[in-house]
Amino acid sequence: MLDSNVTDKLRSIVGSEHYKDDSEALVTHSYDATPMLQSLPDGVIYPSSKDEVSAILQLANEHKIPIVGRGAGSNLCGGTVPVHGGIVMVMNRMNKLIEIDTDNLTATFQPGLNTKEFHAAVERKGLFYPPDPSSMVISTLGGNIMECAGGLRGLKYGTTKDYVIGLEAVLPSGAVIRTGGKLYKDVAGYDLTKLLVGSEGTLAIITEATVKLLPAPRYKKTMLAMYKDIYAAASTVSRIVGSRIIPATLEFIDNPTLRVVEEFNRIGLPLEMEAVLLIEQDGMDEESVDRDIESIMRICREEKAEEVKVARSAEEADKLMKARRSALSTLARISPTTILEDATVPRSRIAEMVLEINRIARKYNVQICTFGHAGDGNLHPTCTTDARNPDEIHRVEQAFEEIFEAAIGLGGTITGEHGVGIVKAPYLEWKVGAPGIELMKGIKMAFDPNGIMNPGKIFAKASRKRLVIQR
Amino acid sequence: MLDSNVTDKLRSIVGSEHYKDDSEALVTHSYDATPMLQSLPDGVIYPSSKDEVSAILQLANEHKIPIVGRGAGSNLCGGTVPVHGGIVMVMNRMNKLIEIDTDNLTATFQPGLNTKEFHAAVERKGLFYPPDPSSMVISTLGGNIMECAGGLRGLKYGTTKDYVIGLEAVLPSGAVIRTGGKLYKDVAGYDLTKLLVGSEGTLAIITEATVKLLPAPRYKKTMLAMYKDIYAAASTVSRIVGSRIIPATLEFIDNPTLRVVEEFNRIGLPLEMEAVLLIEQDGMDEESVDRDIESIMRICREEKAEEVKVARSAEEADKLMKARRSALSTLARISPTTILEDATVPRSRIAEMVLEINRIARKYNVQICTFGHAGDGNLHPTCTTDARNPDEIHRVEQAFEEIFEAAIGLGGTITGEHGVGIVKAPYLEWKVGAPGIELMKGIKMAFDPNGIMNPGKIFAKASRKRLVIQR
């Protein structure tokens, strides 16, 4: 509970209708898209400007009140669950698209802007912003930046980090910094821009961002390759990239995922296949896109695909991509609890990783579907389970722990695009080592000496134990 | 002077032939490619492994001895001048290309590897590593990483930062960290990889790096557009990119640079022109490269280019690019002292920046040639002067100070690709503000609490004064 002296000040900063602490507001901001995590905040605030953000942070810093920045709450690592209480700062009033600069190929916006809406605005100018997290219909760009969102186009186009070139951010002290700019080259000191991207709200609140844009590709083509042998599908991925072809999208969908997606979408996916690759190439020239797709089809056949087919129309291609993007929400319909993970390996180890996931699922007798961005080694093993069954949940936790271990053993990482948050914090040391954790804590201290920024995230109290927090 | 107890230990770590403190070694490591900066180290050491690096750093840390990492010493910001004495650590024995991984499209190498040699090895595999600083014939990849080297292809392909995805680095404590990996997506904690790139040797010594590679473009075409009006040349740059065409290279060369380059290369550059754009496009398809070049030629003519011509052969194209790359060394021949700067502005402000540079040169009565990477807004105003003329040098310093101010006023930065080092340190606050400097100092503290890593760089004792150090 916050002191009424503090809440009065908060109300005076944003106007009393923009600070809420009724139970409805608190409950709806006690969780995010991550299953089995819930913790009530003490208040929810909706600032409308960087000056308001600055005043709020100064006050919170003075009183050592936790501040949890929040976009749409679509993250999957517990990143916006206020585990230490405090104030959830919702950025949705700061949702302005400030500028699309067609001379410099940049866009500047406030953090609360919806990702999909931004994509549409950029595309209307013949331009292209590649990062496309599957949550983009609801997610905000600020959330994407804080989690360094990836998506289906990471292999060819990179992730959020590769596009953010300038930020305005408010430090816990209330000081406002500006990093980078409309600059394709800038080496003036340490790169605070890239450091803030993916910092999960633990360092500062961003209030404005500038991103690079690309000319929009003029053509694209979408295809499916279907396999009875999971290993053949996975090894196709290495063969394609080894042949010097970088598709825009190269997605892997296993049989259990396929069945569920087909059941709810009815788009004619082949239920008897063990794995499907969904592949898209784009480019400025029809001929080069066609040539790449033909080469890919030949490789798929050489790698023993049962069937290879190209989408006959833009509508069919669109349906396929939408079905893939809906995999998580579709899987969520078939079980009370759906836990989606994010293990990532070097692309050449995809086949081994898929086999490991399946072995581990059998070992712990849990149901794991696997789909994901095979082209960049980023798999989403997804467990359909039931939080009310503690015995099964315990086995699920053990299975995921072993999956993270396997990923790291294959030269991979515990999280490719979802972030550390609460969920991966106990495993971070496995990836970055004790000295890596110490450096990160030192960086945190430089930004946030009082530890008010999203406390309880990234850094775990103890390693090697999967946490389920229900405050 | 180091204690003999320390030097004995250093000799025992690397073998006595790999530690030098004779006056020849000290003098040859007292300067780098930056004019007018010199300072003697106390010793020069040549480690051969990360274990040796670790032992040296531990010892230096214990005795608070400065450590200045050094590749080829080709930097232009005084980055490897040992202004506080101490030990220069030359990485040229650690120059192994460890692996080119064609499945994952990555390469892994030690920091002392020569940039040009690496390019050649990568190209033999049909792959491509875009960062191409003009110093690449002599520079090392470790130096490129520490300075975040750019080059002629930044507009389309980005800079060193966009390619480094994994590092092994030794901290001042002697602890070894590994960041990232062969991973296109990795959000496990703060991005230490990107933080180390461009950290100018002030945080850690890198001992191994993994970079992304691209499939090599199959075609390229090179052209020249010549202008009597500088402003028309500069506005062509905006028009090209505004037309959704991103050339691989888009270089600007002004008349004074042109004259000098032609005098020493004799490649038929038109001496009566005020400015020349050197443009290269590459791609996987001949048709698309041709189409882009044709569109660019049309734009150049619309923007009142006097003459537009395409290189008739690969040799001719190569000659043009080499002439451009040699601009600095050529200018260096015509005057006792050549000071090359690095001001960078948003691409759309290039024309204004060129006019500002010329105005400032006239105001201070100094000779400034300007060339650079117009496509990414990164200009290199270069002053041909004489360090023995203190009055002129004073005016040169005033002129550059005003140029940095103008760049920042246009939304730009004090350094696009050369780094802060000693030369830009007094101006860093202009770009990042006092809170930005404080954050950077906090980050430095997290890595290097005793301040032994390349002291005197990035952070100035006082702002707003151009430093010339002669110890």
Side-chain angles (χ1 to χ4, degrees), chain B residues 279-310:
Chain B
I279 304 170
E280 191 166 275
Q281 181 58 304
D282 61 11
M284 290 294 167
D285 284 275
E286 201 164 3
E287 308 77 54
S288 68
V289 172
D290 283 350
R291 194 187 50 225
D292 281 356
I293 289 288
E294 271 158 38
S295 303
I296 293 170
M297 288 172 76
R298 198 184 55 245
I299 292 167
C300 293
R301 287 195 192 99
E302 285 169 12
E303 293 292 320
K304 312 234 183 311
E306 296 290 319
E307 205 188 326
V308 178
K309 65 174 190 178
V310 173

Side-chain angles (χ1 to χ4, degrees), chain B residues 60-61 64-67 84 172 202 444-445 447-456:
Chain B
N61 204 30
K64 301 202 169 52
I65 300 164
I67 290 284
H84 291 217
T202 63
K444 164 87 175 168
M445 188 61 74
F447 280 79
D448 180 26
N450 292 328
I452 65 162
M453 302 304 294
N454 208 4

Side-chain angles (χ1 to χ4, degrees), chain B residues 12-210:
Chain B
S12 80
I13 293 168
V14 291
S16 55
E17 70 276 33
H18 300 303
Y19 177 77
K20 292 182 179 166
D21 52 11
D22 58 287
S23 67
E24 191 190 334
L26 300 186
V27 169
T28 51
H29 293 88
S30 65
Y31 58 88
D32 56 26
T34 322
M36 302 192 297
L37 291 176
Q38 190 169 16
S39 174
L40 288 175
D42 297 303
V44 183
I45 200 160
Y46 303 81
S48 71
S49 70
K50 75 160 190 286
D51 292 340
E52 289 182 9
V53 172
S54 172
I56 297 162
L57 286 182
Q58 267 185 67
L59 185 69
N61 204 30
E62 190 186 315
H63 294 272
K64 301 202 169 52
I65 300 164
I67 290 284
V68 180
R70 183 180 171 113
S74 56
N75 81 84
L76 294 160
C77 64
T80 47
V81 177
V83 279
H84 291 217
I87 302 163
V88 172
M89 186 185 281
V90 182
M91 304 306 286
N92 65 5
R93 293 176 69 209
M94 296 181 66
N95 64 350
K96 210 172 130 189
L97 173 55
I98 296 167
E99 182 194 34
I100 294 177
D101 179 339
T102 53
D103 278 343
N104 288 305
L105 296 194
T106 60
T108 301
F109 48 76
Q110 292 183 318
L113 183 61
N114 171 262
T115 311
K116 182 87 184 173
E117 224 172 87
F118 176 63
H119 275 216
V122 164
E123 283 158 21
R124 280 194 295 273
K125 302 264 184 191
L127 295 169
F128 181 41
Y129 177 70
D132 63 338
S134 290
S135 58
M136 67 185 179
V137 178
I138 53 163
S139 74
T140 66
L141 290 164
N144 294 170
I145 292 170
M146 281 295 105
E147 300 293 338
C148 188
L152 278 65
R153 301 192 279 232
L155 164 63
K156 183 168 180 177
Y157 291 108
T159 65
T160 303
K161 181 167 325 223
D162 298 300
Y163 293 88
V164 181
I165 55 175
L167 290 171
E168 178 188 81
V170 183
L171 304 180
S173 66
V176 178
I177 58 167
R178 280 196 159 269
T179 71
K182 289 180 183 175
L183 297 167
Y184 281 61
K185 285 178 176 170
D186 179 17
V187 292
Y190 304 142
D191 194 334
L192 300 180
T193 310
K194 305 283 186 210
L195 183 60
L196 284 168
V197 178
S199 64
E200 306 190 13
T202 63
L203 301 179
I205 296 285
I206 63 161
T207 48
E208 195 183 294
T210 297

Side-chain angles (χ1 to χ4, degrees), chain A residues 132-347:
Chain A
D132 63 338
S134 290
S135 57
M136 68 184 176
V137 179
I138 53 163
S139 73
T140 66
L141 290 163
N144 295 170
I145 291 170
M146 282 293 106
E147 301 292 337
C148 187
L152 278 66
R153 301 191 279 230
L155 164 63
K156 184 167 179 178
Y157 291 108
T159 65
T160 303
K161 182 169 322 226
D162 298 300
Y163 293 88
V164 181
I165 54 174
L167 289 172
E168 177 188 82
V170 183
L171 305 179
S173 65
V176 178
I177 59 168
R178 280 197 159 268
T179 72
K182 289 181 182 176
L183 297 167
Y184 280 62
K185 286 179 175 168
D186 179 16
V187 293
Y190 304 143
D191 193 335
L192 300 180
T193 310
K194 305 284 186 209
L195 182 61
L196 285 168
V197 177
S199 64
E200 306 189 13
T202 64
L203 301 179
I205 296 286
I206 62 162
T207 48
E208 194 183 296
T210 297
V211 298
K212 287 201 264 194
L213 301 174
L214 298 177
R218 292 203 192 93
Y219 299 93
K220 66 181 172 186
K221 214 159 192 176
T222 306
M223 58 167 284
L224 282 177
M226 292 156 258
Y227 296 83
K228 289 241 164 98
D229 175 4
I230 263 192
Y231 200 88
S235 72
T236 300
V237 173
S238 296
R239 272 286 309 281
I240 293 171
V241 184
S243 308
R244 317 280 187 273
I245 301 168
I246 313 284
T249 292
L250 180 38
E251 294 288 307
F252 174 92
I253 304 164
D254 76 354
N255 177 279
T257 312
L258 204 63
R259 288 180 171 274
V260 177
V261 168
E262 177 59 21
E263 187 178 343
F264 285 89
N265 290 278
R266 300 284 172 208
I267 50 176
L269 291 172
L271 300 182
E272 71 284 9
M273 296 294 168
E274 280 308 306
V276 166
L277 295 178
L278 172 61
I279 304 169
E280 192 164 277
Q281 182 57 306
D282 61 12
M284 288 295 166
D285 284 275
E286 202 164 4
E287 309 79 52
S288 68
V289 171
D290 283 350
R291 193 186 53 224
D292 282 354
I293 289 288
E294 272 158 37
S295 303
I296 293 170
M297 288 173 75
R298 196 183 59 245
I299 292 168
C300 293
R301 288 196 192 96
E302 285 168 13
E303 293 292 319
K304 311 233 184 309
E306 296 291 318
E307 205 188 325
V308 179
K309 65 174 194 179
V310 173
R312 280 153 303 183
S313 64
E315 292 69 40
E316 192 183 328
D318 204 43
K319 261 191 196 164
L320 288 170
M321 295 301 280
K322 275 204 181 120
R324 159 58 192 90
R325 284 184 203 280
S326 73
L328 170 60
S329 53
T330 311
L331 286 169
R333 296 196 207 175
I334 64 161
S335 60
T337 307
T338 308
I339 305 179
L340 173 118
E341 279 305 347
D342 189 34
T344 301
V345 293
R347 173 171 50 229

